[in-house]
Amino acid sequence: TYRGLGPDAPEHLVMGKACEGLLKEVGIPYAVPEKNELGKAYQKAKHWLDREKKPFAIFIKRGIFGE
């Protein structure tokens, strides 16, 4: 899950704020989809993985899967 959004443990708040910047720094593309965009994010990740054979991250926000 995408840590650091909303109430969370202090260590998650620190990592949550840094995650996107860290991925950008090391060249890993990512998506932070809303509930209605999850399929699109999955397709984008699959296309990248098939083509580049490199990592792609999808951050899942709280509530995307109904929690």
Side-chain angles (χ1 to χ4, degrees):
T1 61
Y2 194 8
R3 300 297 187 170
L5 299 176
D8 211 338
E11 65 273 16
H12 295 167
L13 297 174
V14 172
M15 268 317 285
K17 290 178 184 176
C19 280
E20 290 184 47
L22 288 171
L23 289 177
K24 285 178 187 175
E25 194 66 33
V26 297
I28 297 174
Y30 63 91
V32 186
E34 297 299 326
K35 193 171 193 167
N36 63 335
E37 300 170 330
L38 195 55
K40 183 178 175 182
Y42 170 79
Q43 289 301 321
K44 184 176 179 180
K46 184 177 181 330
H47 179 71
W48 172 262
L49 293 167
D50 288 344
R51 187 182 75 227
E52 301 295 328
K53 308 292 190 237
K54 294 181 180 177
F56 187 100
I58 299 176
F59 289 109
I60 304 298
K61 295 189 243 179
R62 181 171 284 146
I64 293 288
F65 295 121
E67 304 117 44

